[in-house]
Amino acid sequence: MSDTILVQPRAEFMRGVSMRDAGTLIGLVVILAVFGALVPGFFAERNLINILQQSSINACLALGMTLVIISGGIDLSVGPTAALSAVISASMMVAGVPFPLAIAAGFAIGLACGLVNGLLVAFVGLQPFIVTLGTLSTYRALALIYTGGNPVLGLPAGFRAVFNGSLFGLPLAVIIVAFVAVVAWVVLKKTPFGEYLLAVGGNEEAAYIAGVPIARTKIAAYMISGLLAALAAQILIGRLGAAEPILGNLWELDAIAAAAIGGASLMGGKGSVVGTILGAVILGAMRNGLTLMNVQSFYQLLATGLIILAAMLIDRVTRGRG
Amino acid sequence: MSDTILVQPRAEFMRGVSMRDAGTLIGLVVILAVFGALVPGFFAERNLINILQQSSINACLALGMTLVIISGGIDLSVGPTAALSAVISASMMVAGVPFPLAIAAGFAIGLACGLVNGLLVAFVGLQPFIVTLGTLSTYRALALIYTGGNPVLGLPAGFRAVFNGSLFGLPLAVIIVAFVAVVAWVVLKKTPFGEYLLAVGGNEEAAYIAGVPIARTKIAAYMISGLLAALAAQILIGRLGAAEPILGNLWELDAIAAAAIGGASLMGGKGSVVGTILGAVILGAMRNGLTLMNVQSFYQLLATGLIILAAMLIDRVTRGRG
Amino acid sequence: STDLAPLNSDTEKDRIDWSQVEAKFGTFPKLPEGTKAGAVSKTLTNEYWRSLGEGYKAFGDKVGIPVVYQAAQSEGDQLGQLTIAEGLVTQGYNVLLVSPQTDANLQPIMEQAKAANVPVVNVNDAVIPQAEHYVGNVQRDNGVRVAKWFIKNRPNGGKVAIVEGQAGVYAAVQRTDGFKSTITEGGKFEVVASVPGNWDRQTSYDAAVNILQQHPDLIGFYANNDGMALGIVEAVKAAGLQDKVAVFGTDGISDAYASIRAGELTGTVDSFPVLTGEVALETALRLVAGQKLPRVVATPQALITKDNADRYSGPGARKALLEDAAAGQ
Amino acid sequence: MSPRLQFQGISKLFPAVRALNDVSFSISAGEIHGLLGENGAGKSTLLRILSGVYRPTAGSILIDGKPVTLANPVAARAAGVAMIHQELQEVPRLSVAQNMFLGQPLTRGGIFVARREQERRAAEALAAIDPSIDPAAPLGTLKVAQRQIVEIARALLDRARIVAMDEPTSSLTPSEFERLAQVITGLARDGVAVVYVSHKLDEVFGICRRATIMRDGVVIDSVDLKGLSEKAVVAMMVGRELAQERHTSHASNEVMLSARGLSSTTKVRDVSFELHRGEVLGIAGLVGSGRTELLRLLAGADRATAGTIAIDGKATRFSSPRDAIAAGIGLVPEERKREGIVPLRSITSNMALASMGVFAPRGVIDHARLKRVAIDKMGRVNLRPFLLDRPIRLFSGGNQQKAIIGRWLAAGTRILLFDEPTRGIDVGAKAEIYHLIEELAREGHGVIVVSSELPEVIRLADRVLVMRDGSIAAELHRDDISEQAIAAHAIPQTQDSR
Ligand SMILES: Nc1ncnc2c1ncn2[C@@H]1O[C@H](COP(=O)(O)OP(=O)(O)OP(=O)(O)O)[C@@H](O)[C@H]1O
Ligand SMILES: Nc1ncnc2c1ncn2[C@@H]1O[C@H](COP(=O)(O)OP(=O)(O)OP(=O)(O)O)[C@@H](O)[C@H]1O
Ligand SMILES: [Mg+2]
Ligand SMILES: [Mg+2]
């Protein structure tokens, strides 16, 4: 116990954050190697692109989740936020609003949902888990009421082309999310806001005395999470050609899993953009591999559970305390 | 900001824990008053008993959850733990094993599930959220695989009578859970283990230095949570007469909501048995009232979300920081 | 494809009853060597979907075609199901049978499959608007049949209640609407509650307890599936009202049959998943063989009560349904 | 007879630091043994090994001549070692008594915690130092000093053979130390071996006959203190002579900050004063007199219910520390761990936290510039070891404090508020901090220093405000400042100090 608590964290710091990411990378490599050995065609370029594409939505959400988690919070409402943003911008498009405008409106919805979460957490001082549990139901209900429970169909082809295209053989969705990841990395590593996030999550009171705008920092984190949920929604409805009020079911769990596998600590003050992306790809590769192996769904569920545990274990072994 | 964070906690200490419970009680009273005014017959004795009965399963889980949360952890796997325990003990009964033995086996499963969670958290040092997210899938998969996805039917009448009976006009399930609550209260307030829980969740390092058996305390908390999930499962299958492998879906969210409404802090070190029970009854009364008002499903979802938020707000106003 | 109107499987004109397929399109054709079929369904946690898979497999075995049957990890796992379907396309299956989680979540498959020249058959439940082929029953008709039972057997009318599936899910919406609009037509019945049961036994049980307490004179429940109906039955028994309150479910899972035979559940609308699976795979394979089938192949359903439960269970069911179909013509 | 406690060749390697290198010395029963050294010398590390929190990389510990394995705190306790940790080890929500008995509660029938009995025994143990502490009160409601007393009393419960005290008096007043000294000598009379770590040399000279002096993880010498001068000991600790400096005032007439009628819900009542450019203003008073609360008002951390603050003659309102920082005010807080540092972040990040705008003029942090400033400021405060990217939690308290001071230097703060600036800080660093404060004053900063160490106030301040019960009881000018004068004004008429 003693060494675990008191000594190992230091070891980890010494080696720096990138060691932590290396742990996650090892996890990914192991999983890829296992599937590569078991599944013929797993390493086909087409399949690798599939994995990236299938991971992109979760990665997008998980990036926002990572920032929120670093700030010491959590956002359970990402799925319903995405749904609300999706149905509203989709019905605008269907009603003839030019799609860039409709997309902007969708983003605004995402930001607004995040703002509400942020205000309740930062100004009212409620627990993030409960706030976003409450808004999880609330936003979902709003999406259902707005659409009467029906999907919004008939999205314009121009809009769909934006999110369905490819560039240099990579799906645009993947490129967009990669771009978002780079931005998130820069924000976290190179901007005052990134420092503020880490400080607020690491020691809120000290951050307060040092003049960090606590409330603004937290609110911004939730707003970014809402915005990225809205972006994920756009990517998804572009792919699906329809927006449903029940879209985004259980997204929060995958996003949290990706962030945590990637090294974010739910106690706040700690998390990595690179790690989160790797975490999302680990989950995506796993789903893809299990499907290609034609594993029955109960056993897929079993594998999902075990691989989350295994990823955390590998990670734990490669770098010290979780 | 400043007032919220830095001054109020002092005030709160001064006033002591019971003030916090009074806040929750006010929340409950408000909700009861609102429904009482809107729904004729809401205060009928029969309906009040219904509310208690319908809250009993969630209350049972939430008590275990409260102990885990106080220890600084979280248990997302309660639903699948309940399911696994239910299907195994149900199939033993159906196979002719005397039901007390089968119940004992169900409890053993619950304890075992909790043990696994506890070991991974306490000895391996993984994050509780992720551990139980992993076992959430794993235990569910085991329950599905064990039953092939089918419900187990034909539970013996003797067994069902145990959990369906009444005593002094109160359903036995309610009495059992009330008894569990009293035990939990005594454990938390009067025993060394209760102190250890508060210490481990409040300041793990200090607890370690003081010689508190950290690992054992955490493991015990998860095992109790598993045991109470198994008890909840028995109550439920007694009532329904069937054990389904998909039983307990999303139970964790209700249990966490009850504990949080009741004042448990997900940062650990804080929580109240009385508050949790009140929290569970708030949620139960709300569901009951909405059904009696025949609120359409979308609006029920909306009300659920808003009432969770409102309960936290009322509570926040009546006692300071959440 | 874009020139097709969005599908409404309940009203589509270009349809054929399953019993007519052989008559119209002849005996089962010969298939190219190495043909294999891939199927993805909602979840295996519900017997209905497992039975559907049995139907696929039974027909596949009969005609010597391998069938892969996969399902998402839970009901509502939309992206997981999409991942599975994409995997099947990549792996080169010759035909896909899909039972989507929602109306939209498998949409991308339609395009990918088209590009790969693989026919896709939408089997039951949620309806992909661009689906070129749909096999399944009329969801609305589920509720209509139960409503008709009430109108016939409870001529004095009374209070009834509905326990719905997951909010916003196609089958739940259609079934509920069919029941509600049919039963209220004559003005004798009143729907006093229509509340969510979320496909969940416990939730339905609690809802039923509350409804019975408020309306002790209730005469019947209609539930959107059998699991929920079986939960309601327990609530009715606990209230000691089993002689007064009729309870109906939907799907016809084996537990529902058992309960009906035991005199507890009043009835269920069986949509014969095994048979549906057989018909669906037959349809799919006929498409592979190049036949041009109508857009919708309707599969049968029947209201099962204690009186007719034996007729519709076991190997005799197919024959009984063919008789029904013939009688209906 | 073998000594009560023997360290033999103890070494401790942390990943980048050799904290202890071949440390050997021994202490006999009934001895009060001082352990001296600058911040980072390795004192706490050694005591943490003794109390089972760390395990040594090499070496062994003998108690009464028998080698012992102290694998964890429980084992150390069982072997008769009680420890007072430098960092308060407490669970704020549990009561004083529960904290004191944590890990080995008294029970009734082995099942229930015997609360009453615990509280009775806790009160007994507390009585020797501070009888006013209520054993049933939640620990979190107590002031730091009281919490430290609880920590001490807890160690006394164990009836241990060895009591290790790591800076037990860092937030205690001299009179509280007097009572503690009696307790410690009592322990020694009963044959307990006491290891006493403190940066307050007068305390060490007052109660210890022998002391071991450490520097950079090695033992310099174990010496008899009798006949040694403080100066000689300091020289051994720092490895060089410290020049004793005289105070020179740089105060001007220009008013930088003026407070009028400040009051708060937290304690402060109707406080008015002025701070001049280049002035060092001391604030003295008993624990609980409201000094910390006054500084928090000035720093914008709490809100005033009445009164005004004017900076350079302009009235301002602070709704958060951010406003105060913008007005040029920075607080070096009393509780470093809770209010000062962000433990997982590097020295550089911690330093830059208050002045991010300066380092990111175009939105993106200019890391090259940040690094230059960090090297400059951390050089100026003499951070050791000079590892700017290392998380701050791995540094000793003194170096953490230096980084916090560097934070305000980097932010260009004009008015610095120090709350107990040298609490838990060694003589070397203390001198450095004094020197820094004077230099800041000379450069035209305004400085306010709250301190419970009267010599410190006297050494530093141009003028002293004495607080009592939340308001200012007296203002003493340079020539009137003396321990007697301060004490006379600080003590309430009722003679009740708390
Ligand atoms: N867990 C650790 N990991 C890495 N380095 C450590 C650890 N603990 C202490 N150190 C380093 O070991 C050295 C000795 O630290 P220690 O805390 O023992 O000093 P100290 O003499 O008690 O100082 P102070 O007077 O400030 O309390 C310092 O350089 C410190 O940074
Ligand atoms: N957590 C708390 N809850 C309630 N009252 C508190 C709390 N902390 C401090 N107080 C009260 O506020 C008053 C002033 O304390 P303050 O911290 O200002 O003293 P101080 O003069 O700064 O002493 P110190 O020498 O410890 O810095 C005290 O009477 C104390 O009891
Ligand atoms: Mg030290
Ligand atoms: Mg103070």
Side-chain angles (χ1 to χ4, degrees):
Chain A
M1 208 56 228
S2 88
D3 286 21
T4 317
I5 293 186
L6 299 162
V7 182
Q8 301 227 13
R10 314 199 168 192
E12 174 194 343
F13 289 122
M14 300 281 83
R15 290 184 252 141
V17 176
S18 55
M19 261 317 272
R20 175 63 184 72
D21 293 342
T24 318
L25 191 60
I26 292 174
L28 177 59
V29 167
V30 169
I31 283 176
L32 289 180
V34 169
F35 281 121
L38 294 175
V39 185
F42 184 78
F43 285 129
E45 189 193 328
R46 171 93 207 108
N47 193 50
L48 294 180
I49 291 178
N50 267 353
I51 291 177
L52 289 183
Q53 170 142 16
Q54 287 158 5
S55 312
S56 62
I57 286 179
N58 186 26
C60 184
L61 296 160
L63 286 171
M65 188 67 80
T66 302
L67 299 187
V68 172
I69 288 177
I70 289 176
S71 83
I74 196 157
D75 187 355
L76 301 180
S77 72
V78 286
T81 297
L84 190 58
S85 145
V87 293
I88 290 180
S89 83
S91 34
M92 288 174 71
M93 287 182 217
V94 170
V97 175
F99 72 80
L101 214 67
I103 293 178
F107 288 166
I109 300 288
L111 287 169
C113 289
L115 178 65
V116 171
N117 289 335
L119 289 174
L120 287 171
V121 169
F123 278 123
V124 188
L126 303 183
Q127 294 185 30
F129 195 98
I130 306 302
V131 165
T132 56
L133 188 62
T135 55
L136 166 83
S137 297
T138 308
Y139 298 158
R140 177 70 73 204
L142 293 177
L144 284 165
I145 291 168
Y146 179 77
T147 56
N150 299 312
V152 182
L153 301 166
L155 300 185
F159 164 74
R160 300 197 55 196
V162 172
F163 290 102
N164 276 334
S166 311
L167 208 68
F168 316 121
L170 277 177
L172 259 179
V174 172
I175 293 174
I176 292 172
V177 174
F179 176 74
V180 170
V182 171
V183 172
W185 186 86
V186 170
V187 164
L188 196 58
K189 291 273 182 187
K190 305 273 175 203
T191 68
F193 175 63
E195 291 285 337
Y196 290 167
L197 277 176
L198 288 156
V200 168
N203 185 349
E204 182 165 331
E205 209 152 322
Y208 174 68
I209 298 284
V212 172
I214 309 275
R216 254 193 286 150
T217 302
K218 287 188 181 178
I219 292 171
Y222 287 95
M223 288 180 74
I224 292 174
S225 177
L227 180 65
L228 292 183
L231 175 62
Q234 297 296 334
I235 293 175
L236 183 65
I237 66 176
R239 258 176 101 192
L240 301 184
E244 289 178 296
I246 50 176
L247 148 175
N249 191 22
L250 300 183
W251 276 7
E252 67 282 5
L253 292 186
D254 277 356
I256 293 168
I261 290 174
S265 158
L266 292 153
M267 304 313 276
K270 207 175 132 205
S272 146
V273 166
V274 175
T276 294
I277 294 292
L278 291 172
V281 176
I282 285 181
L283 289 172
M286 191 188 76
R287 292 255 158 93
N288 175 286
L290 290 172
T291 305
L292 294 185
M293 284 173 68
N294 194 19
V295 173
Q296 195 248 349
S297 74
F298 299 167
Y299 292 92
Q300 281 209 24
L301 193 62
L302 186 66
T304 309
L306 293 178
I307 287 182
I308 289 179
L309 294 176
M312 296 305 287
L313 280 172
I314 289 177
D315 173 88
R316 172 75 183 73
V317 170
T318 50
R319 69 153 175 118
R321 179 166 173 71
Chain B
M1 209 55 232
S2 86
D3 286 21
T4 317
I5 292 181
L6 300 163
V7 182
Q8 302 227 13
R10 310 194 174 193
E12 177 193 343
F13 282 130
M14 302 279 80
R15 288 185 254 142
V17 177
S18 57
M19 260 317 271
R20 175 63 184 75
D21 292 341
T24 316
L25 191 60
I26 292 173
L28 177 59
V29 167
V30 169
I31 283 176
L32 289 179
V34 169
F35 280 119
L38 295 175
V39 186
F42 184 79
F43 284 131
E45 189 194 327
R46 174 88 210 111
N47 193 50
L48 295 180
I49 290 178
N50 274 350
I51 291 177
L52 289 183
Q53 169 141 18
Q54 286 158 10
S55 312
S56 62
I57 286 179
N58 186 23
C60 185
L61 294 160
L63 286 171
M65 188 67 80
T66 303
L67 299 187
V68 172
I69 287 177
I70 289 176
S71 84
I74 197 159
D75 187 356
L76 301 180
S77 72
V78 286
T81 297
L84 191 58
S85 144
V87 295
I88 290 180
S89 83
S91 33
M92 286 174 71
M93 288 182 216
V94 171
V97 176
F99 71 80
L101 214 68
I103 293 178
F107 289 167
I109 300 288
L111 287 169
C113 289
L115 179 64
V116 171
N117 289 336
L119 289 175
L120 288 171
V121 169
F123 278 122
V124 189
L126 304 182
Q127 294 184 30
F129 196 99
I130 306 304
V131 165
T132 56
L133 188 62
T135 55
L136 166 82
S137 298
T138 308
Y139 298 159
R140 177 70 74 203
L142 292 177
L144 285 165
I145 291 168
Y146 179 76
T147 58
N150 296 307
V152 182
L153 297 162
L155 301 185
F159 163 75
R160 297 195 58 192
V162 172
F163 290 102
N164 276 335
S166 308
L167 208 67
F168 316 119
L170 277 177
L172 260 181
V174 172
I175 293 174
I176 292 172
V177 174
F179 176 74
V180 170
V182 171
V183 171
W185 186 86
V186 169
V187 164
L188 196 58
K189 290 273 182 187
K190 304 278 176 199
T191 69
F193 174 64
E195 269 182 20
Y196 291 170
L197 280 175
L198 287 159
V200 167
N203 184 346
E204 183 166 332
E205 187 164 335
Y208 172 70
I209 285 172
V212 171
I214 309 271
R216 253 192 288 148
T217 303
K218 288 188 180 177
I219 291 172
Y222 287 95
M223 288 180 73
I224 292 173
S225 177
L227 179 65
L228 292 183
L231 175 61
Q234 298 295 335
I235 294 175
L236 182 67
I237 66 177
R239 201 181 286 171
L240 297 182
E244 289 178 299
I246 52 170
L247 145 180
N249 194 23
L250 301 184
W251 274 7
E252 67 281 5
L253 293 186
D254 276 357
I256 293 168
I261 290 174
S265 157
L266 292 155
M267 304 312 276
K270 198 179 141 207
S272 144
V273 166
V274 176
T276 295
I277 295 292
L278 292 173
V281 176
I282 285 181
L283 291 172
M286 187 190 79
R287 297 252 156 92
N288 173 285
L290 291 172
T291 306
L292 293 185
M293 287 172 69
N294 193 22
V295 172
Q296 196 241 331
S297 64
F298 301 166
Y299 291 93
Q300 279 211 21
L301 196 59
L302 185 65
T304 310
L306 292 178
I307 288 181
I308 289 179
L309 294 175
M312 296 304 287
L313 279 172
I314 291 176
D315 173 89
R316 173 77 181 72
V317 170
T318 50
R319 61 142 185 125
R321 177 166 176 70
Chain C
S1 69
T2 40
D3 47 348
L4 272 176
L7 178 64
N8 180 332
S9 57
D10 284 11
T11 59
E12 174 67 35
K13 292 279 181 301
D14 183 17
R15 68 191 301 135
I16 183 173
D17 194 67
W18 70 283
S19 56
Q20 301 295 307
V21 170
E22 187 146 339
K24 283 241 174 78
F25 295 93
T27 51
F28 192 72
K30 179 122 185 56
L31 288 166
E33 202 55 39
T35 301
K36 53 180 186 169
V40 43
S41 92
K42 278 170 105 161
T43 162
L44 297 185
T45 59
N46 185 328
E47 184 186 318
Y48 181 89
W49 300 108
R50 290 198 300 272
S51 303
L52 187 74
E54 281 163 29
Y56 290 153
K57 189 152 173 15
F59 192 81
D61 288 350
K62 192 172 129 193
V63 299
I65 298 293
V67 187
V68 155
Y69 185 56
Q70 292 201 21
Q73 289 176 16
S74 65
E75 193 148 1
D77 180 11
Q78 300 156 17
L79 289 176
Q81 195 188 33
L82 178 59
T83 300
I84 292 173
E86 284 176 343
L88 292 178
V89 176
T90 331
Q91 284 173 295
Y93 286 88
N94 305 81
V95 62
L96 281 192
L97 299 109
V98 300
S99 307
Q101 302 280 12
T102 73
D103 295 354
N105 78 309
L106 294 188
Q107 200 105 302
I109 280 307
M110 307 305 289
E111 288 138 43
Q112 290 174 28
K114 205 172 181 69
N117 212 6
V118 172
V120 178
V121 179
N122 183 345
V123 185
N124 232 332
D125 231 87
V127 180
I128 307 173
Q130 295 124 303
E132 290 177 39
H133 297 282
Y134 179 89
V135 176
N137 52 308
V138 178
Q139 297 294 350
R140 231 182 104 78
D141 192 45
N142 270 308
V144 173
R145 280 174 197 256
V146 176
K148 285 187 174 152
W149 182 93
F150 275 103
I151 291 167
K152 179 158 165 244
N153 292 283
R154 299 286 184 270
N156 298 329
K159 291 180 176 176
V160 292
I162 308 171
V163 177
E164 306 167 14
Q166 192 79 45
V169 170
Y170 177 81
V173 172
Q174 292 295 317
R175 289 171 191 176
T176 301
D177 188 56
F179 178 79
K180 205 184 260 177
S181 48
T182 311
I183 203 161
T184 49
E185 253 167 27
K188 280 188 178 159
F189 289 89
E190 185 193 353
V191 177
V192 293
S194 185
V195 296
N198 299 338
W199 305 132
D200 181 66
R201 214 178 268 232
Q202 181 195 358
T203 312
S204 312
Y205 176 94
D206 286 347
V209 167
N210 293 338
I211 292 168
L212 285 173
Q213 186 253 320
Q214 203 184 21
H215 305 285
D217 52 344
L218 197 83
I219 62 162
F221 277 104
Y222 169 54
N224 283 169
N225 83 1
D226 283 338
M228 296 195 294
L230 292 172
I232 296 167
V233 164
E234 293 302 324
V236 171
K237 274 162 62 186
L241 293 169
Q242 56 267 55
D243 297 333
K244 304 209 177 68
V245 182
V247 181
F248 284 89
T250 308
D251 282 353
I253 64 174
S254 54
D255 299 337
Y257 271 87
S259 181
I260 289 169
R261 289 202 174 94
E264 298 189 331
L265 184 65
T266 316
T268 182
V269 182
D270 193 344
S271 42
F272 305 101
V274 178
L275 179 70
T276 305
E278 291 169 359
V279 172
L281 185 59
E282 177 175 351
T283 306
L285 294 175
R286 282 177 185 269
L287 292 170
V288 174
Q291 296 188 356
K292 296 256 175 293
L293 275 76
R295 196 170 179 193
V296 171
V297 177
T299 53
Q301 49 195 342
L303 184 73
I304 309 299
T305 57
K306 200 170 182 177
D307 303 334
N308 65 9
D310 290 336
R311 185 167 173 257
Y312 289 107
S313 50
R318 194 181 178 102
K319 192 166 144 275
L321 290 167
L322 282 171
E323 286 166 17
D324 287 358
Q329 291 308 306
Chain D
M1 201 182 82
S2 45
R4 172 56 51 85
L5 171 66
Q6 258 177 294
F7 294 105
Q8 283 187 346
I10 303 275
S11 293
K12 178 70 187 176
L13 286 174
F14 290 117
V17 189
R18 176 178 283 275
L20 295 174
N21 191 3
D22 196 18
V23 169
S24 304
F25 64 94
S26 56
I27 304 170
S28 43
E31 177 183 347
I32 305 169
H33 191 94
L35 185 56
L36 298 170
E38 287 190 283
N39 290 135
K43 308 177 295 291
S44 297
T45 305
L46 185 66
L47 295 193
R48 291 190 141 218
I49 288 172
L50 175 62
S51 63
V53 177
Y54 293 157
R55 297 220 224 153
T57 315
S60 55
I61 293 175
L62 282 68
I63 295 181
D64 291 331
K66 282 191 281 298
V68 287
T69 315
L70 307 171
N72 55 48
V74 179
R77 214 175 206 176
V81 179
M83 166 95 178
I84 298 161
H85 286 267
Q86 180 175 8
E87 306 275 357
L88 297 174
Q89 297 297 341
E90 55 194 17
V91 183
R93 274 170 198 282
L94 293 181
S95 73
V96 168
Q98 280 176 311
N99 267 282
M100 287 173 63
F101 285 91
L102 191 62
Q104 39 183 199
L106 304 178
T107 57
R108 271 185 282 127
I111 298 172
F112 298 114
V113 177
R115 285 261 183 108
R116 291 273 158 67
E117 177 64 11
Q118 283 192 1
E119 279 161 20
R120 200 182 56 72
R121 300 241 325 249
E124 268 173 32
L126 286 165
I129 316 171
D130 183 349
S132 76
I133 295 174
D134 173 10
L139 189 62
T141 59
L142 267 52
K143 301 294 321 288
V144 186
Q146 295 179 317
R147 278 155 41 201
Q148 194 159 44
I149 289 167
V150 171
E151 184 89 21
I152 294 168
R154 179 209 303 227
L156 303 181
L157 286 173
D158 277 353
R159 308 195 186 290
R161 290 185 289 172
I162 298 165
V163 176
M165 304 186 164
D166 197 353
E167 303 194 31
T169 57
S170 54
S171 53
L172 298 192
T173 58
S175 64
E176 283 161 330
F177 167 72
E178 285 310 321
R179 272 168 281 162
L180 177 62
Q182 285 170 19
V183 172
I184 295 175
T185 30
L187 285 175
R189 255 200 312 279
D190 296 344
V192 175
V194 179
V195 190
Y196 191 84
V197 175
S198 176
H199 291 299
K200 302 176 182 174
L201 288 188
D202 50 339
E203 288 180 6
V204 175
F205 273 86
I207 58 170
C208 305
R209 201 170 317 130
R210 286 167 50 76
T212 294
I213 292 147
M214 294 179 65
R215 194 196 310 147
D216 295 334
V218 299
V219 171
I220 300 298
D221 201 359
S222 287
V223 295
D224 230 317
L225 289 176
K226 230 188 223 124
L228 268 181
S229 69
E230 284 199 16
K231 216 172 141 197
V233 171
V234 169
M236 283 202 257
M237 285 164 63
V238 299
R240 61 185 187 278
E241 293 276 330
L242 277 184
Q244 185 68 38
E245 281 158 276
R246 288 248 117 231
H247 178 84
T248 39
S249 176
H250 304 285
S252 72
N253 286 332
E254 186 186 335
V255 175
M256 271 184 118
L257 178 151
S258 79
R260 287 281 157 269
L262 279 185
S263 296
S264 75
T265 52
T266 45
K267 179 83 180 185
V268 180
R269 278 185 293 148
D270 193 23
V271 167
S272 305
F273 68 92
E274 286 175 345
L275 173 69
H276 298 95
R277 195 181 161 78
E279 183 181 35
V280 180
L281 178 64
I283 298 183
L286 299 177
V287 169
S289 58
R291 298 163 302 170
T292 295
E293 278 70 8
L294 177 59
L295 286 199
R296 286 180 62 90
L297 284 187
L298 297 176
D302 292 340
R303 258 173 261 188
T305 48
T308 54
I309 298 169
I311 308 288
D312 298 331
K314 274 202 303 283
T316 50
R317 289 197 73 80
F318 301 149
S319 60
S320 76
R322 211 172 162 69
D323 298 342
I325 292 165
I329 300 179
L331 171 67
V332 180
E334 181 177 9
E335 282 187 70
R336 221 162 16 239
K337 191 168 151 195
R338 207 168 64 84
E339 302 170 325
I341 62 168
V342 181
L344 300 187
R345 304 296 290 154
S346 68
I347 288 283
T348 306
S349 287
N350 270 283
M351 181 207 74
L353 201 55
S355 47
M356 278 299 166
V358 179
F359 294 110
R362 269 175 238 91
V364 175
I365 297 172
D366 179 350
H367 276 282
R369 175 160 167 201
L370 178 55
K371 189 162 182 201
R372 273 201 311 279
V373 173
I375 290 172
D376 174 34
K377 302 302 179 199
M378 290 303 117
R380 182 162 173 200
V381 300
N382 198 12
L383 180 86
R384 267 167 308 173
F386 202 76
L387 298 170
L388 300 179
D389 294 332
R390 196 173 178 223
I392 196 167
R393 68 186 291 253
L394 303 185
F395 285 83
S396 65
N399 285 297
Q400 291 178 358
Q401 187 76 326
K402 291 176 185 171
I404 305 286
I405 296 172
R407 171 187 292 171
W408 299 122
L409 297 181
T413 304
R414 296 159 53 238
I415 301 171
L416 280 106
L417 315 176
F418 288 91
D419 197 356
E420 309 288 0
T422 60
R423 185 178 144 198
I425 285 175
D426 68 56
V427 277
K430 209 167 184 171
E432 286 171 321
I433 286 173
Y434 291 167
H435 187 71
L436 262 171
I437 288 177
E438 276 163 353
E439 221 173 75
L440 290 169
R442 185 162 48 77
E443 288 166 9
H445 290 79
V447 179
I448 298 180
V449 176
V450 163
S451 176
S452 297
E453 283 187 53
L454 293 184
E456 178 165 301
V457 179
I458 294 166
R459 158 87 171 71
L460 285 172
D462 301 326
R463 190 160 55 100
V464 172
L465 302 176
V466 185
M467 284 187 77
R468 188 169 72 212
D469 285 338
S471 42
I472 293 176
E475 179 179 338
L476 305 174
H477 288 271
R478 186 70 228 161
D479 300 333
D480 312 331
I481 302 173
S482 69
E483 299 207 14
Q484 291 80 351
I486 293 173
H489 292 287
I491 296 168
Q493 314 329 90
T494 55
Q495 291 296 310
D496 183 3
S497 66
R498 235 180 289 273

